[in-house]
Amino acid sequence: MDSVKVQPWAKAISEKRKENLGSDSPGTRCLPPGPAIDLGVGKVVQTANLLLMLYDGTLYREIFLDGRQLEKAPNPDWMGYSVGHWEGDTLVIESNGFNDRTWLDDDGHPHTEALRMTERLRRPDFGHLELVRTLTDDGALAQPWTVPMKFEINPDTEQLEYVCNENERDRVHLIGKASDDKGVKVDPKVLTKYVGSYELKIPENGKLLTVTFTVDGDHLVMAASARALR
């Protein structure tokens, strides 16, 4: 994934939000996250002229496939306005009409209502989706930001209803700061006791995850890789 390059004012907001540990994020306030955050693709419903992306809870996106153009002055909303067309086996989705109240990522990078999003979505084979998302916003981004993603099918599952703002009680307790985390130094001799490789099976997909721990100076470093079981 390309590192995001933003305008100075957007960087300042991101740093403030990280210091506050995301306590004012849309998710914390029970607001839609916007489509720039990686939500995965819960369920896709496709017709000749319309494609729906359904996510957990009551969140959804509409992509119009009837040949219409993007609205020039859409009413800004949380998930934007999207149209799509096919280029071979790739669905190209163009979106605009976003309000400026959502975040571009978990680091809290902001955007303006001029945000445009282009997505290239294809299915290379059954069970896999590949998505390349490019964000452009001259008001907040110093250059276009491209994010590639891959998804695997999760069979035998159904969407679950989720309502955040029904009884939200968390936000008042989110009072910490990132700078409060001073860390704890541990003797490297203690860290060496954990050096080695460990294996565990991931219940959700049945893959075998190998986690390897090494010592680098006074840090315990973890690396992980997953493989399918046969």
Side-chain angles (χ1 to χ4, degrees), residues 3-145:
S3 59
V4 57
K5 294 179 173 60
V6 301
Q7 303 292 351
W9 72 268
K11 181 178 180 181
I13 288 179
S14 172
E15 293 300 323
K16 181 179 179 181
R17 288 170 172 172
K18 287 191 291 184
E19 170 65 10
N20 291 331
L21 300 175
S23 60
D24 59 341
S25 70
T28 302
R29 293 179 291 156
C30 295
L31 297 172
I37 293 289
D38 178 16
L39 300 173
V41 180
K43 181 177 287 187
V44 176
V45 181
Q46 181 181 344
T47 69
N49 295 319
L50 179 68
L51 184 142
L52 298 176
M53 291 184 178
L54 310 178
Y55 307 99
D56 282 341
T58 57
L59 200 62
Y60 68 93
R61 288 179 64 194
E62 289 183 304
I63 295 94
F64 296 100
L65 305 175
D66 55 6
R68 71 181 69 183
Q69 301 298 309
L70 275 178
E71 293 281 351
K72 293 184 178 180
N75 181 42
D77 62 22
W78 297 96
M79 302 301 287
Y81 183 89
S82 301
V83 300
H85 66 275
W86 290 95
E87 294 182 0
D89 63 351
T90 299
L91 178 62
V92 180
I93 305 170
E94 300 284 352
S95 303
N96 66 355
F98 302 101
N99 66 36
D100 59 1
R101 300 176 64 186
T102 62
W103 294 10
L104 293 182
D105 58 8
D106 291 332
D107 283 339
H109 286 105
H111 63 85
T112 73
E113 290 187 355
L115 176 68
R116 288 282 299 264
M117 183 168 69
T118 301
E119 298 164 288
R120 300 184 66 87
L121 182 66
R122 64 182 295 267
R123 189 179 78 168
D125 53 46
F126 177 78
H128 297 87
L129 281 177
E130 296 177 349
L131 173 63
V132 178
R133 176 178 290 159
T134 299
L135 307 172
T136 58
D137 182 354
D138 292 339
L141 298 177
Q143 65 182 43
W145 185 22

Side-chain angles (χ1 to χ4, degrees), residues 142-161:
Q143 65 182 43
W145 185 22
T146 298
V147 183
M149 289 173 276
K150 293 184 178 181
F151 305 101
E152 294 185 3
I153 191 172
N154 191 3
D156 302 322
T157 60
E158 295 294 340
Q159 301 290 94
L160 296 176
E161 184 179 63

Side-chain angles (χ1 to χ4, degrees), residues 145-229:
W145 185 22
T146 298
V147 183
M149 289 173 276
K150 293 184 178 181
F151 305 101
E152 294 185 3
I153 191 172
N154 191 3
D156 302 322
T157 60
E158 295 294 340
Q159 301 290 94
L160 296 176
E161 184 179 63
Y162 171 70
V163 181
C164 173
N165 57 0
E166 186 175 31
N167 192 25
E168 194 280 313
R169 299 182 181 183
D170 293 333
R171 193 179 181 197
V172 295
H173 302 290
L174 303 178
I175 57 176
K177 303 286 185 180
S179 55
D180 295 336
D181 186 4
K182 306 300 182 181
V184 177
K185 288 189 176 181
V186 179
D187 190 323
K189 293 182 180 179
V190 175
L191 298 180
T192 58
K193 296 180 179 180
Y194 299 93
V195 171
S197 295
Y198 306 82
E199 292 186 341
L200 58 96
K201 184 178 179 181
I202 304 174
E204 289 78 10
N205 56 27
K207 290 185 176 181
L208 189 66
L209 179 67
T210 300
V211 182
T212 302
F213 290 94
T214 57
V215 173
D216 182 8
D218 59 354
H219 289 76
L220 189 65
V221 180
M222 183 187 77
S225 62
R227 67 178 188 273
L229 290 173

